[in-house]
Amino acid sequence: MKFKEDLKNTVVIKKSPDEALFNQTTLQLLNSLDKTREDFWNVDNESANFLNLLIKMHNVKHALEIGTSNGYSAIWLAQALKETGGKLTTIEFWDNRLDVAVENFKKAGVDDIIEPKLGQAVIILEEMAYSDNPPVFDFVFIDANKSEYIKYFKLIHPMLKYGGVIAADNILSHYKKVLPYVEAVTSHPDYQSQLIPLDTGIMVSIKRNQL
């Protein structure tokens, strides 16, 4: 680039205000959950907004989240799904965390479009994939056990429709642990991928139709 502005002393506007998306009650809830990021391993605010945008851009109807925690990201996903007329299935291993998340869904008014599932993600995904009528998803957010990302991918792949999106978090913060996943999705002929360097790093992959 021949010319680049010096923004050293400039405050760069990065996103629209959350007040445009949520009512005051939900905003207060999200702000309180954001303060517990280190304890519950939530995504940051900008990453959550990015995921929200992805859902709206792709008009997602059936979304899957692997790793619910206290429900912070799911509330952001559900807000977008309210606009697209979609539903969210979210999986969490720890029952105490899922209990907290379910209460937060009620407080945010999104519990009507969220189906929480308790248990080990790999087992639940296997039950889905090998059932008589496997679900079909058009958006998947992965934010759980980093060493199992590759297992999730192999189970998700046949359930993700063409044109569907996978967003996987913690690519930069846990790169060595998620490397098998990164290598698999970036080399797979059905996927086009790009790392988005937001916070801990999100790998976005779209399942594309072969020409």
Side-chain angles (χ1 to χ4, degrees), residues 26-40:
T26 305
L27 278 175
Q28 291 176 356
L29 172 62
L30 290 172
N31 288 336
S32 67
L33 296 179
D34 196 35
K35 294 176 183 177
T36 66
R37 278 194 68 207
E38 297 301 319
D39 296 321
F40 288 91

PDB file of all heavy atoms in Angstrom, residues 26-40:
ATOM      1  N   THR A  26     -31.126  -7.129  28.912  1.00  0.00           N
ATOM      2  CA  THR A  26     -30.165  -8.045  28.304  1.00  0.00           C
ATOM      3  C   THR A  26     -28.774  -7.431  28.251  1.00  0.00           C
ATOM      4  O   THR A  26     -27.768  -8.123  28.456  1.00  0.00           O
ATOM      5  CB  THR A  26     -30.622  -8.457  26.894  1.00  0.00           C
ATOM      6  OG1 THR A  26     -31.937  -9.004  26.965  1.00  0.00           O
ATOM      7  CG2 THR A  26     -29.681  -9.495  26.301  1.00  0.00           C
ATOM      8  N   LEU A  27     -28.703  -6.144  27.986  1.00  0.00           N
ATOM      9  CA  LEU A  27     -27.410  -5.458  27.986  1.00  0.00           C
ATOM     10  C   LEU A  27     -26.725  -5.570  29.336  1.00  0.00           C
ATOM     11  O   LEU A  27     -25.521  -5.850  29.421  1.00  0.00           O
ATOM     12  CB  LEU A  27     -27.590  -3.983  27.624  1.00  0.00           C
ATOM     13  CG  LEU A  27     -27.693  -3.629  26.144  1.00  0.00           C
ATOM     14  CD1 LEU A  27     -27.998  -2.146  25.996  1.00  0.00           C
ATOM     15  CD2 LEU A  27     -26.414  -3.987  25.400  1.00  0.00           C
ATOM     16  N   GLN A  28     -27.478  -5.347  30.396  1.00  0.00           N
ATOM     17  CA  GLN A  28     -26.914  -5.455  31.748  1.00  0.00           C
ATOM     18  C   GLN A  28     -26.458  -6.873  32.032  1.00  0.00           C
ATOM     19  O   GLN A  28     -25.404  -7.087  32.640  1.00  0.00           O
ATOM     20  CB  GLN A  28     -27.951  -5.007  32.776  1.00  0.00           C
ATOM     21  CG  GLN A  28     -28.248  -3.513  32.723  1.00  0.00           C
ATOM     22  CD  GLN A  28     -29.351  -3.102  33.674  1.00  0.00           C
ATOM     23  OE1 GLN A  28     -29.974  -3.937  34.335  1.00  0.00           O
ATOM     24  NE2 GLN A  28     -29.619  -1.804  33.748  1.00  0.00           N
ATOM     25  N   LEU A  29     -27.234  -7.860  31.569  1.00  0.00           N
ATOM     26  CA  LEU A  29     -26.863  -9.264  31.744  1.00  0.00           C
ATOM     27  C   LEU A  29     -25.570  -9.574  30.997  1.00  0.00           C
ATOM     28  O   LEU A  29     -24.642 -10.176  31.561  1.00  0.00           O
ATOM     29  CB  LEU A  29     -27.985 -10.163  31.238  1.00  0.00           C
ATOM     30  CG  LEU A  29     -27.698 -11.672  31.173  1.00  0.00           C
ATOM     31  CD1 LEU A  29     -27.413 -12.220  32.566  1.00  0.00           C
ATOM     32  CD2 LEU A  29     -28.861 -12.410  30.520  1.00  0.00           C
ATOM     33  N   LEU A  30     -25.483  -9.153  29.749  1.00  0.00           N
ATOM     34  CA  LEU A  30     -24.282  -9.411  28.950  1.00  0.00           C
ATOM     35  C   LEU A  30     -23.056  -8.724  29.543  1.00  0.00           C
ATOM     36  O   LEU A  30     -21.964  -9.300  29.558  1.00  0.00           O
ATOM     37  CB  LEU A  30     -24.496  -8.946  27.509  1.00  0.00           C
ATOM     38  CG  LEU A  30     -25.477  -9.771  26.672  1.00  0.00           C
ATOM     39  CD1 LEU A  30     -25.745  -9.090  25.343  1.00  0.00           C
ATOM     40  CD2 LEU A  30     -24.959 -11.188  26.457  1.00  0.00           C
ATOM     41  N   ASN A  31     -23.232  -7.519  30.034  1.00  0.00           N
ATOM     42  CA  ASN A  31     -22.116  -6.807  30.660  1.00  0.00           C
ATOM     43  C   ASN A  31     -21.617  -7.536  31.898  1.00  0.00           C
ATOM     44  O   ASN A  31     -20.412  -7.609  32.159  1.00  0.00           O
ATOM     45  CB  ASN A  31     -22.531  -5.379  31.021  1.00  0.00           C
ATOM     46  CG  ASN A  31     -22.674  -4.492  29.797  1.00  0.00           C
ATOM     47  OD1 ASN A  31     -22.082  -4.753  28.766  1.00  0.00           O
ATOM     48  ND2 ASN A  31     -23.482  -3.445  29.912  1.00  0.00           N
ATOM     49  N   SER A  32     -22.550  -8.089  32.680  1.00  0.00           N
ATOM     50  CA  SER A  32     -22.154  -8.828  33.881  1.00  0.00           C
ATOM     51  C   SER A  32     -21.448 -10.128  33.508  1.00  0.00           C
ATOM     52  O   SER A  32     -20.472 -10.533  34.160  1.00  0.00           O
ATOM     53  CB  SER A  32     -23.376  -9.122  34.758  1.00  0.00           C
ATOM     54  OG  SER A  32     -24.270 -10.023  34.126  1.00  0.00           O
ATOM     55  N   LEU A  33     -21.903 -10.791  32.450  1.00  0.00           N
ATOM     56  CA  LEU A  33     -21.266 -12.031  31.999  1.00  0.00           C
ATOM     57  C   LEU A  33     -19.893 -11.748  31.404  1.00  0.00           C
ATOM     58  O   LEU A  33     -18.969 -12.552  31.548  1.00  0.00           O
ATOM     59  CB  LEU A  33     -22.149 -12.735  30.962  1.00  0.00           C
ATOM     60  CG  LEU A  33     -23.513 -13.240  31.433  1.00  0.00           C
ATOM     61  CD1 LEU A  33     -24.272 -13.890  30.293  1.00  0.00           C
ATOM     62  CD2 LEU A  33     -23.365 -14.210  32.595  1.00  0.00           C
ATOM     63  N   ASP A  34     -19.772 -10.592  30.751  1.00  0.00           N
ATOM     64  CA  ASP A  34     -18.496 -10.227  30.145  1.00  0.00           C
ATOM     65  C   ASP A  34     -17.406 -10.070  31.199  1.00  0.00           C
ATOM     66  O   ASP A  34     -16.229 -10.319  30.932  1.00  0.00           O
ATOM     67  CB  ASP A  34     -18.658  -8.930  29.357  1.00  0.00           C
ATOM     68  CG  ASP A  34     -17.513  -8.689  28.390  1.00  0.00           C
ATOM     69  OD1 ASP A  34     -17.002  -9.673  27.834  1.00  0.00           O
ATOM     70  OD2 ASP A  34     -17.121  -7.539  28.210  1.00  0.00           O
ATOM     71  N   LYS A  35     -17.805  -9.681  32.395  1.00  0.00           N
ATOM     72  CA  LYS A  35     -16.835  -9.495  33.480  1.00  0.00           C
ATOM     73  C   LYS A  35     -16.319 -10.829  34.027  1.00  0.00           C
ATOM     74  O   LYS A  35     -15.345 -10.858  34.775  1.00  0.00           O
ATOM     75  CB  LYS A  35     -17.471  -8.681  34.608  1.00  0.00           C
ATOM     76  CG  LYS A  35     -17.796  -7.246  34.210  1.00  0.00           C
ATOM     77  CD  LYS A  35     -18.522  -6.512  35.328  1.00  0.00           C
ATOM     78  CE  LYS A  35     -18.902  -5.094  34.899  1.00  0.00           C
ATOM     79  NZ  LYS A  35     -19.674  -4.381  35.944  1.00  0.00           N
ATOM     80  N   THR A  36     -16.970 -11.917  33.656  1.00  0.00           N
ATOM     81  CA  THR A  36     -16.566 -13.244  34.146  1.00  0.00           C
ATOM     82  C   THR A  36     -15.853 -14.051  33.066  1.00  0.00           C
ATOM     83  O   THR A  36     -15.761 -15.280  33.161  1.00  0.00           O
ATOM     84  CB  THR A  36     -17.791 -14.040  34.654  1.00  0.00           C
ATOM     85  OG1 THR A  36     -18.664 -14.335  33.555  1.00  0.00           O
ATOM     86  CG2 THR A  36     -18.559 -13.250  35.704  1.00  0.00           C
ATOM     87  N   ARG A  37     -15.351 -13.371  32.021  1.00  0.00           N
ATOM     88  CA  ARG A  37     -14.728 -14.057  30.885  1.00  0.00           C
ATOM     89  C   ARG A  37     -13.628 -15.025  31.295  1.00  0.00           C
ATOM     90  O   ARG A  37     -13.521 -16.142  30.788  1.00  0.00           O
ATOM     91  CB  ARG A  37     -14.124 -13.042  29.916  1.00  0.00           C
ATOM     92  CG  ARG A  37     -15.100 -12.428  28.942  1.00  0.00           C
ATOM     93  CD  ARG A  37     -14.337 -11.722  27.833  1.00  0.00           C
ATOM     94  NE  ARG A  37     -13.637 -12.694  27.015  1.00  0.00           N
ATOM     95  CZ  ARG A  37     -12.532 -12.436  26.326  1.00  0.00           C
ATOM     96  NH1 ARG A  37     -11.967 -11.236  26.377  1.00  0.00           N
ATOM     97  NH2 ARG A  37     -11.957 -13.374  25.593  1.00  0.00           N
ATOM     98  N   GLU A  38     -12.778 -14.602  32.218  1.00  0.00           N
ATOM     99  CA  GLU A  38     -11.634 -15.427  32.613  1.00  0.00           C
ATOM    100  C   GLU A  38     -12.073 -16.704  33.315  1.00  0.00           C
ATOM    101  O   GLU A  38     -11.396 -17.730  33.249  1.00  0.00           O
ATOM    102  CB  GLU A  38     -10.697 -14.624  33.515  1.00  0.00           C
ATOM    103  CG  GLU A  38     -10.073 -13.407  32.839  1.00  0.00           C
ATOM    104  CD  GLU A  38      -9.270 -13.773  31.615  1.00  0.00           C
ATOM    105  OE1 GLU A  38      -8.548 -14.791  31.653  1.00  0.00           O
ATOM    106  OE2 GLU A  38      -9.365 -13.056  30.599  1.00  0.00           O
ATOM    107  N   ASP A  39     -13.214 -16.657  33.994  1.00  0.00           N
ATOM    108  CA  ASP A  39     -13.712 -17.830  34.723  1.00  0.00           C
ATOM    109  C   ASP A  39     -14.491 -18.774  33.821  1.00  0.00           C
ATOM    110  O   ASP A  39     -14.441 -19.996  33.994  1.00  0.00           O
ATOM    111  CB  ASP A  39     -14.608 -17.391  35.889  1.00  0.00           C
ATOM    112  CG  ASP A  39     -13.849 -16.593  36.934  1.00  0.00           C
ATOM    113  OD1 ASP A  39     -12.683 -16.947  37.221  1.00  0.00           O
ATOM    114  OD2 ASP A  39     -14.403 -15.612  37.459  1.00  0.00           O
ATOM    115  N   PHE A  40     -15.217 -18.208  32.839  1.00  0.00           N
ATOM    116  CA  PHE A  40     -16.102 -19.026  32.013  1.00  0.00           C
ATOM    117  C   PHE A  40     -15.629 -19.161  30.566  1.00  0.00           C
ATOM    118  O   PHE A  40     -16.300 -19.792  29.751  1.00  0.00           O
ATOM    119  CB  PHE A  40     -17.522 -18.444  32.038  1.00  0.00           C
ATOM    120  CG  PHE A  40     -18.228 -18.655  33.351  1.00  0.00           C
ATOM    121  CD1 PHE A  40     -18.147 -17.702  34.361  1.00  0.00           C
ATOM    122  CD2 PHE A  40     -18.960 -19.804  33.581  1.00  0.00           C
ATOM    123  CE1 PHE A  40     -18.798 -17.894  35.570  1.00  0.00           C
ATOM    124  CE2 PHE A  40     -19.617 -20.009  34.778  1.00  0.00           C
ATOM    125  CZ  PHE A  40     -19.529 -19.052  35.779  1.00  0.00           C
TER     126      PHE A  40
END
